[in-house]
Amino acid sequence: WLQAVTQKVLLRLFHTRNYLFVILHVALQAAVYAEYTWEVFVYCWELEFHLVLLLLPYLLLVGNMGCFVLCSCANPGIVTKSNHASLMKTYAYDGVLFQKGTVCATCNMEKPARSKHCSFCDICVHRFDHHCVWVNNCIGAFNAKYFFLYLFTLTVMAATIAIITATFLIQVVLLSNVMHGTYIDDQGQEHTVEILFLIQHLFLTFPRIVFMLGFVILLTLILGAYSSFNLYLALTNQTFNEWYKSRRYRYFHHLTLQPCDTQAVYRNVYTKGVWMNLKEIFKSPAVLERKKKK
């Protein structure tokens, strides 16, 4: 009985749209900004940090929240009966990842090239990238630009807070001249101040600030890596879904390849050069076609 209930809860959490991760996202962001405003901003202001620098995280927050709302609420590129005919003409089938004539069993429509049925939202999405639980929406042709900007501003925001906070702590260390001091350990021996002792001293003096700094540094590294990966996908005109499927295809193709097999390996037919690929994120062919009809 307990196992059945657990499975239902997990299914509800991870296979349907819900606001759990959105709430967690907002709560973590609120906690970081509360600590930054309550302590870091005040201390930095007393140390005469430039006001523009201190206000930069708030400006980035406004931009990030705007991109978050747009990304969460915007139509990702839902394939409907009214736009199905035009979306079928947007991209050609590559014959490997996307086969002509494939019908979505749920939507009962032929899948346009580069589309996929999302099990979370229960819709087919044009130029499907992935379903993002943090914005509680699919990422597709129509909202990919908002997700790209959302991810970029979130990364810069975390990095900015990390830099300001780290600069403040360095200023405190330099002003206190603690690096030139000594301390006595439990055995009564005198030692010069080392990095480990300095970190412990700062953590005891500013526990919330140091904890927040560690969190935003980790967040910056993770977001920076993920942003770089998404930039790579954008520059090569791939979605995450296509990148994953192409890797899986190459793996299974390698396993079944015979010495006399002349079958061609997968090649991305959608790339048009770096500039045009990046331009397609912000001006999707499907979006331009939709505007023309209006």
Side-chain angles (χ1 to χ4, degrees), residues 258-270:
Q258 301 299 322
C260 59
D261 196 344
T262 58
Q263 183 182 358
V265 296
Y266 170 75
R267 183 176 64 87
N268 181 14
V269 300
Y270 302 113

Side-chain angles (χ1 to χ4, degrees), residues 15-46:
H15 290 279
T16 57
R17 292 187 69 179
N18 66 81
Y19 289 93
L20 175 64
F21 286 96
V22 173
I23 294 169
L24 179 61
H25 172 282
V26 173
L28 288 173
Q29 209 164 44
V32 168
Y33 269 86
E35 177 56 30
Y36 175 79
T37 304
W38 184 256
E39 290 194 290
V40 178
F41 185 95
V42 175
Y43 288 141
C44 288
W45 180 253
E46 291 176 356

Side-chain angles (χ1 to χ4, degrees), residues 98 115-116 128-130 239-246:
F98 304 103
S115 66
K116 186 181 184 296
F128 178 85
D129 190 274
H130 70 289
T239 63
F240 176 78
N241 176 56
E242 292 162 4
W243 177 85
Y244 174 74
K245 288 175 70 175
S246 66

Side-chain angles (χ1 to χ4, degrees), residues 127-161:
R127 200 183 183 277
F128 178 85
D129 190 274
H130 70 289
H131 180 90
C132 180
V133 295
W134 298 105
V135 300
N136 197 30
N137 198 7
C138 289
I139 308 303
F142 296 170
N143 66 347
K145 56 181 176 291
Y146 302 133
F147 180 75
F148 190 83
L149 293 172
Y150 159 75
L151 198 59
F152 175 76
T153 53
L154 192 63
T155 305
V156 176
M157 191 168 65
T160 303
I161 292 176

Side-chain angles (χ1 to χ4, degrees), residues 92-103:
Y93 291 92
D94 63 2
V96 180
L97 302 183
F98 304 103
Q99 303 283 351
K100 188 173 179 58
T102 304
V103 177

Side-chain angles (χ1 to χ4, degrees), residues 26-92:
V26 173
L28 288 173
Q29 209 164 44
V32 168
Y33 269 86
E35 177 56 30
Y36 175 79
T37 304
W38 184 256
E39 290 194 290
V40 178
F41 185 95
V42 175
Y43 288 141
C44 288
W45 180 253
E46 291 176 356
L47 291 174
E48 298 182 346
F49 277 56
H50 202 288
L51 181 60
V52 175
L53 178 64
L54 296 179
L55 292 177
L56 183 58
Y58 298 106
L59 297 176
L60 289 168
L61 177 64
V62 172
N64 179 255
M65 291 307 296
C67 293
F68 171 79
V69 172
L70 288 170
C71 191
S72 180
C73 299
N75 174 7
I78 302 173
V79 180
T80 62
K81 291 182 179 180
S82 60
N83 65 12
H84 180 262
S86 62
L87 293 181
M88 288 291 291
K89 301 174 185 177
T90 305
Y91 295 109

Side-chain angles (χ1 to χ4, degrees), residues 113-129:
R114 309 190 80 179
S115 66
K116 186 181 184 296
H117 186 87
C118 176
S119 58
F120 292 88
C121 302
D122 199 29
I123 53 173
C124 277
V125 178
H126 181 58
R127 200 183 183 277
F128 178 85
D129 190 274

